[in-house]
Amino acid sequence: MSQELYANLAIFVLSLLVGFEVMSKIPSTLQTPMMSGANAIHGVVVVGAFAIAAEANNWFLYVLVFFAALFAAINVAGGYTVTDRMLGMFDRKPGDKKEADK
Amino acid sequence: MSTLKTIASLVYLVSAFCYVIGVHLMRSPKTAKKGNRLSFVGMILAVIMILLELLTAGKVQTVAWIALIAGLAIGIFYGFTRAKKVPMTDVPQLVSLFNAVGGGAAAVIGIFDYVTVSGNLQLMLSIPVVLDVIIGGITFSGSLIATGKLSGKVSGKPITFPAAKLANIVVVIATIAAAFFMITEPENGWFLLLALAASLIFGLLMTLPIGGADMPVVVSLLNAFTGLAVAFAGFVIDNQVLIIAGALVGAAGTILTLQMADAMNRSVANILAGGFGTGDSQSSA
């Protein structure tokens, strides 16, 4: 196993542990926004769309770049916008959590 | 490490930091909005950095730029307008749709890498590529069905058919076989297509038999899957921010899924069992 691969694997395992730890019990009103927020974060795959663009040199690959960029951009733009809107609902009536609960 | 590479690595680290703290802040209603915005800042940083890397490397073909920018522009416009206009009651299916395209993007990156380096992929790297394509494929079709079920375009009732169990077994075997041969015979492109087809059908079969009421839990589970697919995409292109963010979402999403199932007094296994034709079939159409 190469040095880079080992480093990546270590980062992967430790990040998994961070993910498990950072997520303690959250109120049920926040479950959907949290799901949506996490969904927006994996939109970071857009970085991958940029990265493969550097290697594309024929039509089939250009098409793949287009779709990777399209899909990832929808994920990022939509994910953050809709999460922000959902969380905006908490701003409107602060302290009135019981109503938002159901 | 060149100077740019060093700066890039540090910026990606800051970006990853933003995601972790962002998720942390999102656990409380008071700080949730701040958390989401912090994670957005992390996203912008990562995008600016990769853009700088591409510009300085200067080896991107003009057509690739056009494909990239066109995809981004259409995607941002579509995602933003859909998210702005959606009624609050329809949010879950939209999140599921965004999750589907995220998985799709990860799968496309895996396909790209598999095609460009076909035959020259070292064993330890071909494993993440294969996992990326398969998990990405499963979440893509699975989340699309979940979107359809939540929006009523696909019947919300559990959909089962007589040979469902057999079909599940066949698809699982096909997926594993395709994955195996993609690794052992990388020069044969047919196995990539088989893996892709099998994983897409796998996603369909997994989601179709699950009732609409259980769908949010399934969406959350698929969300965690997408996180893993993105992490494997990070291995493929050797980019740490994808690995960190993907693993973070994969793990946090799994915990969230368990909590959501718990709130419904169901177990995840119980919900998914419906997905494999053994559970709540009494209400099947």
Side-chain angles (χ1 to χ4, degrees):
Chain A
M1 197 189 309
S2 70
Q3 196 81 50
E4 290 85 20
L5 191 63
Y6 176 75
N8 285 346
L9 194 61
I11 289 170
F12 176 69
V13 173
L14 293 176
S15 303
L16 279 178
L17 293 177
V18 170
F20 285 131
E21 282 302 314
V22 83
M23 198 68 157
S24 61
K25 186 84 186 153
I26 58 164
S28 58
T29 39
L30 272 178
Q31 282 176 347
T32 310
M34 180 62 101
M35 176 170 83
S36 180
N39 173 57
I41 291 176
H42 66 53
V44 73
V45 70
V46 72
V47 170
F50 278 85
I52 60 170
E55 316 287 332
N57 53 13
N58 65 47
W59 283 104
F60 176 63
L61 298 180
Y62 296 143
V63 171
L64 288 184
V65 169
F66 173 77
F67 278 105
L70 174 73
F71 286 166
I74 295 175
N75 191 171
V76 174
Y80 280 109
T81 311
V82 83
T83 311
D84 201 57
R85 265 189 70 193
M86 252 188 273
L87 293 171
M89 311 262 286
F90 290 106
D91 286 352
R92 225 172 292 156
K93 14 181 181 166
D96 194 354
K97 262 180 283 171
K98 268 179 217 117
E99 239 228 275
D101 223 325
K102 191 63 218 177
Chain B
M1 260 205 228
S2 68
T3 318
L4 183 76
K5 190 85 181 130
T6 310
I7 295 171
S9 303
L10 291 175
V11 170
Y12 291 140
L13 198 57
V14 174
S15 166
F17 175 86
C18 291
Y19 302 139
V20 175
I21 302 299
V23 170
H24 180 81
L25 291 175
M26 281 186 76
R27 297 184 307 180
S28 148
K30 280 200 193 86
T31 52
K33 195 160 188 167
K34 212 185 286 172
N36 187 50
R37 294 196 165 164
L38 182 63
S39 110
F40 181 66
V41 170
M43 185 68 62
I44 296 293
L45 279 178
V47 169
I48 292 174
M49 199 58 238
I50 186 79
L51 187 62
L52 279 180
E53 280 194 276
L54 282 197
L55 286 173
T56 46
K59 57 173 184 169
V60 185
Q61 314 273 330
T62 316
V63 193
W65 275 121
I66 295 170
L68 180 69
I69 292 167
L72 290 175
I74 299 171
I76 290 171
F77 177 76
Y78 178 80
F80 184 73
T81 46
R82 279 298 298 271
K84 271 286 173 205
K85 281 189 193 143
V86 68
M88 273 302 152
T89 46
D90 291 349
V91 163
Q93 53 259 44
L94 196 64
V95 173
S96 180
L97 178 70
F98 294 155
N99 185 41
V101 288
V108 170
I109 289 168
I111 294 167
F112 185 100
D113 215 68
Y114 195 78
V115 173
T116 45
V117 295
S118 67
N120 303 319
L121 212 55
Q122 60 175 116
L123 177 69
M124 295 306 275
L125 262 186
S126 60
I127 294 171
V129 174
V130 170
L131 287 173
D132 180 11
V133 172
I134 289 176
I135 301 177
I138 292 173
T139 57
F140 183 68
S141 66
S143 299
L144 282 182
I145 294 294
T147 309
K149 285 204 169 213
L150 284 164
S151 63
K153 282 184 191 123
V154 178
S155 164
K157 287 179 185 162
I159 299 170
T160 50
F161 50 95
K165 250 184 191 165
L166 183 69
N168 282 331
I169 294 169
V170 171
V171 168
V172 169
I173 292 174
T175 310
I176 295 171
F180 179 79
F181 286 114
M182 269 176 81
I183 293 169
T184 54
E185 287 181 44
E187 55 290 324
N188 190 336
W190 288 106
F191 294 120
L192 173 66
L193 282 180
L194 177 64
L196 206 55
S199 62
L200 289 174
I201 297 171
F202 190 108
L204 292 183
L205 290 178
M206 180 180 149
T207 340
L208 276 176
I210 301 175
D214 289 338
M215 234 1 114
V217 180
V218 176
V219 173
S220 176
L221 184 68
L222 289 168
N223 191 30
F225 276 15
T226 308
L228 288 181
V230 170
F232 291 127
F235 278 96
V236 172
I237 60 165
D238 192 23
N239 187 310
Q240 282 78 24
V241 74
L242 261 71
I243 300 178
I244 298 175
L248 176 74
V249 174
T254 306
I255 302 287
L256 183 64
T257 308
L258 295 174
Q259 286 186 17
M260 287 171 85
D262 207 39
M264 294 171 69
N265 280 319
R266 301 276 307 268
S267 76
V268 175
N270 183 260
I271 290 169
L272 279 184
F276 291 105
T278 51
D280 53 352
S281 51
Q282 77 277 16
S283 54
S284 63

